Amino acid sequence: MTTTDARERLVAAAQELFWAQGVGATSPRQVLAVSGVGQGSLYHHFPTKHDLAAAAVHATTAAGLDAAHRDLDASGSAVERLVRYLERPRPALAGCKVGRLVSDQAVMDDDVLAAEVRAYFRGLVDLAAAVLTEDGLPDDAARDRAHAAVAIVQGGYVLARALDDPDAMTAAARGFVALLDPGPTTPEDA
Amino acid sequence: MTTTDARERLVAAAQELFWAQGVGATSPRQVLAVSGVGQGSLYHHFPTKHDLAAAAVHATTAAGLDAAHRDLDASGSAVERLVRYLERPRPALAGCKVGRLVSDQAVMDDDVLAAEVRAYFRGLVDLAAAVLTEDGLPDDAARDRAHAAVAIVQGGYVLARALDDPDAMTAAARGFVALLDPGPTTPEDA
């Protein structure tokens, strides 16, 4: 395999293990086993465990922001784009790859990793708020609504895992979307 | 101290330690140290570590449901009561005492503890849904909106911790409340 392949496989293996079991519980030995890459290659690309963790956390947050951009930069009204973001199919029971890092003490106690997580959520809120202001919502209201949209997704993951029921996440999104876009016939608005 | 005092102090100490550091990381020795109770008393009330964990997790979920009942059973319209629940001051950066249990593998891998957490969230959603149906919202819509309200709180905690900013949680609640109760002058509704 090329050196680029090896690096990518190491990062991908670390991302999967971080998602499944957390950063603190993941050893370089496990990453090697999952990646199928040789030990020399690991130390060549990532001299320390922290270098590997930083690269994997960055890859996860970058992929998350890319996915949000695909939903939120598409065509349509602000509400349509926000609904696309909210209703994107997600692995409810496995949890958010970034959200799970927030409850990982090994991440939040590390300045570099915590900054990655913070930048992800700040980027996500900024992106959603920008979409909402485009559609004429005042800045403050747009920022509040953007926080609410991101919270619905994160809280949806928590609920689904707590109830062991992926439908809890889709119900939360549906409840929020119904408020964003009440449609033509909602008795409660009569 | 009386035997009731000792039991209560042991449970309260376990609750605090579970909140701060998780169930898996908390030892009976730490609970003894924080409670100031003697070792004999610990084994008298809680023969196993699991007995203590079950009592402490139950105390936490019961207190959480009590607080939700205080907000949601009070007087006022469904929206007013839901807003009271959503806007109750919360320790955003410390996290939800129950919500944090959801990301604690030692809890979710244990049938008894996971059932406590599940019953809490099921009770919370049922309670909020009942309030919303009282005000005339159809059952399905009420359950979706109840899931959304609980998700806003849980997601607000995740956002606040991720951004290291308690205002992120209040912004999410405010964004949701503005949709529930748009008030007289909202340009986006014009």
Side-chain angles (χ1 to χ4, degrees):
Chain A
M1 88 187 62
T2 68
T3 178
T4 310
D5 283 346
R7 190 183 191 285
E8 279 173 9
R9 287 169 67 159
L10 288 162
V11 169
Q15 287 180 271
E16 287 305 310
L17 288 163
F18 290 175
W19 191 24
Q21 63 186 29
V23 174
T26 299
S27 67
R29 184 184 300 269
Q30 290 173 317
V31 175
L32 277 175
V34 169
S35 68
V37 164
Q39 192 161 2
S41 194
L42 172 63
Y43 297 117
H44 168 69
H45 289 293
F46 303 107
T48 70
K49 184 182 167 177
H50 188 261
D51 294 330
L52 175 60
V57 167
H58 179 76
T60 293
T61 59
L65 279 177
D66 280 353
H69 271 286
R70 279 194 297 277
D71 293 330
L72 292 167
D73 293 346
S75 59
S77 70
V79 167
E80 285 165 352
R81 288 143 74 192
L82 203 57
V83 169
R84 193 175 303 127
Y85 165 74
L86 289 161
E87 294 188 342
R88 181 203 318 155
R90 290 182 166 86
L93 297 185
C96 173
K97 284 185 185 178
V98 188
R100 294 203 65 177
L101 299 171
V102 178
S103 57
D104 191 332
Q105 209 56 47
V107 173
M108 301 312 283
D109 285 347
D110 181 297
D111 287 346
V112 172
L113 305 183
E116 279 287 350
V117 170
R118 203 155 51 239
Y120 167 80
F121 281 105
R122 197 172 288 146
L124 201 52
V125 168
D126 287 350
L127 185 58
V131 167
L132 290 161
T133 51
E134 264 177 51
D135 246 33
L137 204 61
D139 274 2
D140 284 356
R143 289 202 68 78
D144 287 350
R145 192 168 296 179
H147 278 87
V150 175
I152 282 288
V153 172
Q154 290 301 317
Y157 276 118
V158 174
L159 261 184
R161 287 168 63 85
L163 295 169
D164 194 24
D165 178 5
D167 290 344
M169 181 176 208
T170 47
R174 217 165 38 224
F176 187 68
V177 166
L179 287 165
L180 282 176
D181 186 10
T185 54
T186 47
E188 75 271 28
D189 291 327
Chain B
M1 86 187 67
T2 69
T3 179
T4 310
D5 282 347
R7 190 184 192 284
E8 281 174 7
R9 287 169 68 158
L10 287 162
V11 169
Q15 287 180 271
E16 286 304 308
L17 287 162
F18 289 175
W19 191 23
Q21 63 186 29
V23 174
T26 298
S27 67
R29 184 185 299 270
Q30 290 173 318
V31 175
L32 277 175
V34 169
S35 68
V37 165
Q39 193 161 4
S41 194
L42 171 64
Y43 296 117
H44 168 70
H45 289 293
F46 303 107
T48 69
K49 185 182 166 178
H50 188 260
D51 295 329
L52 174 60
V57 167
H58 179 75
T60 293
T61 60
L65 279 178
D66 281 351
H69 270 287
R70 280 194 297 277
D71 294 330
L72 292 167
D73 294 345
S75 60
S77 70
V79 167
E80 284 164 353
R81 288 142 76 192
L82 203 58
V83 168
R84 193 175 302 126
Y85 164 73
L86 289 161
E87 295 188 341
R88 182 203 316 154
R90 289 181 168 86
L93 296 184
C96 173
K97 284 184 185 178
V98 188
R100 294 204 66 177
L101 299 171
V102 178
S103 57
D104 190 332
Q105 210 56 46
V107 173
M108 300 313 282
D109 286 347
D110 180 297
D111 287 346
V112 172
L113 305 184
E116 278 287 349
V117 170
R118 202 155 52 237
Y120 167 81
F121 281 105
R122 197 172 287 146
L124 200 53
V125 168
D126 287 350
L127 185 59
V131 167
L132 290 161
T133 51
E134 265 177 50
D135 247 32
L137 204 61
D139 275 2
D140 284 357
R143 288 202 67 78
D144 287 351
R145 192 169 297 181
H147 278 87
V150 175
I152 282 288
V153 172
Q154 291 301 317
Y157 276 117
V158 174
L159 261 184
R161 286 169 61 85
L163 294 169
D164 194 24
D165 179 7
D167 291 344
M169 180 176 210
T170 47
R174 217 165 38 224
F176 188 67
V177 166
L179 287 165
L180 282 177
D181 185 11
T185 54
T186 46
E188 75 271 29
D189 291 328

